[in-house]
Amino acid sequence: MSTTQVTLYEIRSDAAWITLNRPERRNALSAELVNDLYRHIEAANADDSVRCIVLTGAGTAFCSGADLKSPPGQLSESSDHAVSYPELLTAIMESSKPVIAAVNGPAFAGGLGLVAASDIIFCDEAAQFSFSEVRIGVIPAMIAVVCLPKLGRHQGMRLFLTGERFNGREAVALGLAHRAVPGDQLVQAVQEEIGTLGLAGPIALQECKKLVRRVPELSVAEAFAETAEWSARVFRSEEAAEGLAAFREKRKASWVRVK
């Protein structure tokens, strides 16, 4: 495991666990933290041993939002490129590996952007969430890009306008999270999800991420035309040939790692 001042990066079995490590600031998004998160996501995507990425927080919070004393978009000592907050959210969304948010505690404002940009969201059922921007006279502008597709206009309107807090179970009901569990079961639940992802072909996972984001942008006719070609291309791949052979021969596919 390698550590930096503001993040932890650890490979656990098939996953790269990236931990926001500013517990004294409730893991607020400083420029250095954003730069480090971006760098770690790039590293995980370049590592063939990594099947998925997990984002979580140190201490009792997931992420309290932007650090107003050191906002994203500034250089750090460990980076020659100042990563903006939209660049970080884009890197999470476009990661070639599935990204799981393991929300261990409060996620407010910009912290909710990290949650919504992730592919799979598990949370402590007691975790608190809030679009708190309006209560300091600003708006959840950039995170709206990733949050509204999950919340929809109806729920997003009230939550944006009120800044009201809601818990992990309510986040599931609102469509912002997939599963809420007691805090002491969160890591185990995420590890089980990692195991489930490990049964899927790595390239198939990448293509599914693209598929989910692409199809809603198309008309019905465009969607059928594009996905027919897409399906044919994937079925011709070496990974598909191995998967189909494993199914016929009643064995595990070559990408499934035996524990």
Side-chain angles (χ1 to χ4, degrees), residues 5-256:
Q5 183 181 355
V6 296
T7 60
L8 303 175
Y9 184 87
E10 180 182 8
I11 304 298
R12 303 184 200 170
S13 299
D14 294 341
W17 287 69
I18 304 173
T19 304
L20 287 66
N21 191 40
R22 301 182 72 209
E24 75 287 352
R25 297 282 294 165
R26 297 174 67 79
N27 300 319
L29 293 168
S30 66
E32 186 177 9
L33 179 53
V34 167
N35 289 338
D36 269 14
L37 287 175
Y38 185 89
R39 177 170 56 85
H40 287 323
I41 290 167
E42 284 192 320
N45 280 318
D47 187 342
D48 290 340
S49 71
V50 170
R51 294 292 181 85
C52 66
I53 299 167
V54 180
L55 298 180
T56 194
T60 59
F62 177 77
C63 179
S64 60
D67 186 337
L68 301 181
K69 294 182 179 179
S70 176
Q74 299 176 0
L75 289 173
S76 70
E77 293 180 359
S78 61
S79 175
D80 58 3
H81 170 64
V83 178
S84 69
Y85 182 64
E87 283 181 294
L88 175 60
L89 296 185
T90 301
I92 294 170
M93 290 190 294
E94 296 184 354
S95 165
S96 61
K97 315 285 176 74
V99 179
I100 302 173
V103 187
N104 57 299
F108 298 149
L112 263 173
L114 300 183
V115 173
S118 300
D119 302 305
I120 298 172
I121 298 112
F122 281 19
C123 60
D124 181 340
E125 61 187 9
Q128 293 290 300
F129 300 83
S130 174
F131 296 96
S132 55
E133 289 88 346
V134 289
R135 299 197 177 188
I136 61 169
V138 295
I139 62 173
M142 289 181 286
I143 66 173
V145 177
V146 291
C147 292
L148 286 178
K150 296 186 174 181
L151 289 169
R153 292 184 182 183
H154 181 64
Q155 299 293 354
M157 183 65 78
R158 181 173 182 274
L159 293 171
F160 281 19
L161 290 175
T162 65
E164 183 175 281
R165 292 190 180 191
F166 52 99
N167 64 30
R169 290 192 177 280
E170 291 169 318
V172 173
L174 290 164
L176 192 61
H178 293 100
R179 185 178 175 191
V181 299
D184 60 359
Q185 297 177 24
L186 179 61
V187 171
Q188 179 61 33
V190 170
Q191 288 173 334
E192 290 172 359
E193 191 78 349
I194 292 167
T196 300
L197 291 172
L199 300 175
I203 296 174
L205 289 176
Q206 294 180 36
E207 294 300 308
C208 279
K209 285 195 58 168
K210 296 174 186 175
L211 186 69
V212 171
R213 298 194 186 282
R214 176 61 175 161
V215 169
E217 299 174 349
L218 304 172
S219 69
V220 172
E222 290 171 333
F224 278 128
E226 189 166 318
T227 56
E229 190 281 330
W230 202 336
S231 178
R233 183 174 70 252
V234 172
F235 265 91
R236 292 193 298 267
S237 70
E238 292 182 7
E239 184 173 282
E242 164 60 14
L244 291 168
F247 178 79
R248 289 193 300 268
E249 296 163 15
K250 296 181 171 56
R251 60 174 174 82
K252 294 184 183 298
S254 60
W255 57 75
V256 178

